Structures are given as structure tokens and as C-alpha cells.
Amino acid sequence: MSEKEIMASANEYIMNTYKRFPVVLVKGSGVKVWDVNGKEYLDFAAGIAVCSLGHSHPQVIAAVKEQIEKLTHVSNLYYTEPQTQLAKLLVDNSFADKAFFCNSGAEANEAAIKLARKYAHENMGPDKFELITMKDSFHGRTMATITATGQEKFQFGFTPLLEGFTYVPFNDLQALEKAISAKTCGVMLEPIQGEGGVNIPDEKYLASVREICDRYGILLIVDEVQAGMGRTGKLFAYEHSGIKPDIMTLAKALGNGFPIGAMLATDKISKAFVPGNHASTFGGNPLATAAANATVKTILQEGILEHCRKMGDYFLLQLKKLQGKHKIIKDVRGTGLMLAAQLNIESSDIVNECLRRGLLIISAGSKTLRFVPPLIITTGDIDQAMGVLDEVMEGK
Ligand SMILES: *Cc1c(COP(=O)(O)O)cnc(C)c1O
């Protein structure tokens, strides 16, 4: 099919839930992807912070190939080795003692919300079920996770929402403490807000949230679906603040493009789940967990985290230089390779112009450019992207 035919056919047969860019991608390798006409793009979107090891990573491909020829799926009614290995790998490298596997970020957050409620029901009493979440947060598109998401634009038209959620501004400790009531069982937040605009926590914010949760005897759930898996230069973003959460969710980069999500928790909290409480047919199947095992091992073994920190520092410095040159950039910020440029104009013009010039970037909200490239990028890739941005911003 030609590019035109694919786009026309997609618009005819696929539900209209995405505003897609007018490009048909067919191939990827490392930091590059190619469209159906053979045009090359530098991919600084990485499938929205998913392909952290770059496209077609040899170790991930090898692991999936090997596993698909052995065993693809059986069901969680049986033990399998890849799922067991992944659970141990994540537990050994985090605060957590136990893992539950699912297929996406929303599902991981659903599992976290259910576990928090079940734990609270049994240990705090049936009247404690409320979660405090943050304004401008994003936790997914299911009914429970759009309710948890503190942005009306994701909730509009889908009411009634779930009971038991209340919202406070990110980085506002006073508002958080004021919102805690006799019904509160926990706080759920992204350590760095992704979709809401790459919002960075103040220096001691997460440590103070932890302290407040401890003082009131409530749970702290961190949604690391976007910021986790090395994106910020540590395996998990909570590590930057020296705290330990009670529950954590993962997805996006966990399988480097293979769909998988996970919810992790301490032993004490995990005990609230017993057989029959929660499940997922595909969750943690051998193929998905083989991909994730290869991904996590590569991130941990190949100096990816250190490289990410170095590239992140370099990238931020270049963004600051760009800010000095172009008045439309109001602010630049980020940690590791989760970066943003806050504009004083709509970001879509810039994003579309970059696409035309062979650079894939995305927005976070209407006026923020978001940069979540593969963690394997080089200074050369960053320079190339900066060159394109510089050109595109010229005269704006
Ligand atoms: C993307 C995202 C989700 C939702 O993940 P899906 O896999 O799309 O369901 C949840 N939380 C955060 C922080 C995200 O960035």
C-alpha cells in the first residue's frame, strides 16, 4: 500500500482516538526510524518514552525470538521462568518485595489502586478508601485511572467518575496535608509529571510527602510508568529523593516496546492480595517478560544509567543555550533524558515543522516541547536535534 492509501484506510477503519502525524513509519534502528518513502527521522520521542534502548535492540530481539520459539503463553495458572526472573530482577533493584504483572501503565495503576484499597480495607478499616492525587497528573485512560488523573480534559464526558479521589497541586505540601481526612488511605503521584508538562518536584518535596504519609499512617504510591526504567538517570526516579515508596507502577520502557506493565510493593502491603483478588490473562506472559528481562539487564549492565545522566546534562545545557537565542522559550527543565522546553506559543507548530525536517519530538500539554529520546543517544544526535530546533525557531 502507498502512504496515501495507508492513511486513508486507517482513517476509514480505525477509531478516531488519535490525531496522527501524516507519516507512515515502517522501520527503526537505534535512534532512527524510516517512513514508507524511505525518509529518515531522528526519533526523540521513542514511542513516548518507551524504546529507551533504541529501536530493534539486538538483545531484546534475541530474547523475544528465543522465547517465541519455546513458549509464548500459558496463563498465570502455571509457573514460568521468565516471569519469575523478571520479578526477582525488579525486586533486587528496588524497594519492593513482590511484583504483579500486567500489560500497560493504566493497568499497573489500576492494580495499585486496588491493592491500596484492599490493604486499607483490612488494616485501616472500611472507611479509609480515599486517594489523594495531584493536579496535572496523568495515570491512564481506564475509568479508575482517569479519575486518578488530575486533569479535567481527560475526564470530560465520562462522568460519573469513581468515588474516593481528591486532588491537590503538585509541589504543595500544605495543600496535601490539608486534604488528608479520616477517609484518606494514600497519596499517589508521579515523581516527575510527564504528560502534565514535565513538572519537576522541588528539592525536598518527595521526602516531605513520604514524611507526611508516615505521620498519618497512609500509603505512598509512585507512578513511574514514564519516569522509571532509567529515564531520569537512575533506574527509578524515586531514588533521586532518597525515599522508599510503598507501591510503584511501571510500564512504558519496561519491555523496550513489547507491551508490559508491573506493580510492585512491599511484603506488608502485598499480603492484602490473595488468590482471586486480582488477575490478568496476558499479564507477565513468557514472551513479554523475556523482552523485559533483556531490557532491564541491558539497562543495568551496559552503563546506560551513567550515559543517560551525561547525555541529560549535555542536552539540558544545549537547551539553555537555545533558550538564550530564542525568545519563544520561556523555561527549560528536566532530569536525565526526561526534558522539556516551555514555550510561550503553541508547541504544535514547532513539532510539525521538526517532523518535516526529520526530527520526531512530542508535546506535553499545548505549550511544552517534551524530549524523551532513547537513552543511547550521543552528543552528535543531540547536536543534530538542536540544529533542527534552532532552524525551526528562527524568526518565531
Ligand atoms: C503513559 C502513562 C500512563 C498510562 O500508561 P498506558 O500504558 O498508556 O496505559 C500512566 N502513568 C503515566 C505517568 C504515564 O506516563
Side-chain angles (χ1 to χ4, degrees):
M1 283 166 100
S2 74
E3 179 181 73
K4 264 208 176 105
E5 283 166 344
I6 295 170
M7 287 191 218
S9 205
N11 293 336
E12 186 173 352
Y13 295 110
I14 300 175
M15 270 196 211
N16 189 26
T17 63
Y18 291 94
K19 192 164 174 281
R20 290 179 216 274
F21 294 107
V23 53
V24 178
L25 299 173
V26 292
K27 200 173 78 166
S29 176
V31 196
K32 304 226 162 87
V33 292
W34 288 267
D35 74 12
V36 69
N37 303 316
K39 180 174 166 183
E40 183 179 290
Y41 299 83
L42 187 60
D43 185 6
F44 272 39
I48 316 187
V50 166
C51 304
S52 285
L53 298 177
H55 297 276
S56 307
H57 191 276
Q59 263 132 287
V60 181
I61 292 176
V64 170
K65 271 190 177 165
E66 192 189 326
Q67 190 58 47
I68 203 166
E69 286 177 354
K70 252 203 300 201
L71 185 70
T72 298
H73 179 86
V74 280
S75 148
N76 285 306
L77 296 173
Y78 309 97
Y79 291 95
T80 63
E81 193 177 356
Q83 184 178 135
T84 311
Q85 282 177 343
L86 181 61
K88 183 169 189 315
L89 199 52
L90 293 174
V91 163
D92 284 350
N93 288 287
S94 73
F95 74 95
D97 302 308
K98 293 270 195 291
F100 171 86
F101 294 107
C102 50
N103 314 286
S104 68
E107 271 182 78
N109 287 331
E110 283 275 347
I113 293 164
K114 280 182 72 178
L115 181 62
R117 280 196 174 187
K118 187 81 184 339
Y119 176 83
H121 194 94
E122 281 165 12
N123 297 278
M124 304 175 186
D127 299 328
K128 278 201 194 267
F129 54 83
E130 199 166 84
L131 285 174
I132 300 172
T133 67
M134 302 297 141
K135 293 192 173 143
D136 296 324
S137 60
F138 182 79
H139 298 295
R141 300 293 199 143
T142 63
M143 282 309 303
T145 57
I146 61 167
T147 307
T149 294
Q151 299 192 62
E152 274 169 22
K153 68 176 179 191
F154 294 108
Q155 302 168 338
F156 183 78
F158 300 111
T159 50
L161 300 174
L162 207 67
E163 236 186 284
F165 286 83
T166 184
Y167 315 96
V168 296
F170 191 59
N171 273 332
D172 187 338
L173 292 164
Q174 262 180 340
L176 175 64
E177 200 162 345
K178 235 174 106 186
I180 295 173
S181 74
K183 289 187 202 161
T184 309
C185 74
V187 175
M188 177 166 166
L189 52 73
E190 296 156 86
I192 294 176
Q193 292 189 328
E195 302 303 307
V198 189
N199 303 318
I200 310 292
D202 294 339
E203 178 76 28
K204 299 244 162 60
Y205 178 65
L206 288 170
S208 303
V209 172
R210 176 73 271 182
E211 189 271 314
I212 291 170
C213 289
D214 288 344
R215 190 143 40 84
Y216 287 86
I218 59 177
L219 303 177
L220 176 57
I221 305 169
V222 294
D223 176 348
E224 297 237 7
V225 168
Q226 189 159 159
M229 304 318 302
R231 173 60 50 196
T232 66
K234 302 241 186 215
L235 189 59
F236 304 113
Y238 74 77
E239 295 172 37
H240 291 285
S241 55
I243 61 146
K244 286 182 179 149
D246 299 299
I247 301 176
M248 168 171 76
T249 55
L250 301 172
K252 289 196 165 82
L254 179 56
N256 202 51
F258 206 101
I260 180 167
M263 186 270 289
L264 292 103
T266 59
D267 251 332
K268 186 175 150 208
I269 292 153
S270 303
K271 284 201 175 83
F273 269 176
V274 295
N277 287 158
H278 198 52
S280 164
T281 296
F282 293 128
N285 93 5
L287 202 52
T289 46
N293 275 322
T295 304
V296 181
K297 279 185 200 157
T298 305
I299 291 174
L300 289 171
Q301 285 166 10
E302 295 189 5
I304 301 274
L305 296 174
E306 199 195 335
H307 181 75
C308 169
R309 290 194 289 272
K310 271 196 202 142
M311 291 304 110
D313 289 347
Y314 180 78
F315 200 153
L316 191 59
L317 196 69
Q318 302 312 309
L319 281 173
K320 282 185 180 147
K321 283 189 196 158
L322 204 66
Q323 182 185 13
K325 261 183 95 175
H326 299 282
K327 285 196 293 290
I328 58 165
I329 304 179
K330 266 175 57 187
D331 181 37
V332 297
R333 55 179 176 262
T335 306
L337 287 168
M338 187 165 179
L339 298 159
Q342 178 79 50
L343 308 180
N344 60 18
I345 60 164
E346 294 293 307
S347 53
S348 57
D349 281 0
I350 304 288
V351 172
N352 290 330
E353 192 54 43
C354 284
L355 176 81
R356 248 170 267 136
R357 294 174 196 235
L359 172 66
L360 304 186
I361 54 169
I362 48 179
S363 302
S366 65
K367 291 185 175 173
T368 308
L369 299 176
R370 175 170 32 159
F371 308 100
V372 283
L375 308 184
I376 56 161
I377 53 165
T378 61
T379 53
D381 296 324
I382 297 169
D383 292 343
Q384 192 184 331
M386 285 300 142
V388 174
L389 276 169
D390 190 23
E391 266 175 49
V392 165
M393 288 180 174
E394 204 60 57
K396 296 249 181 205

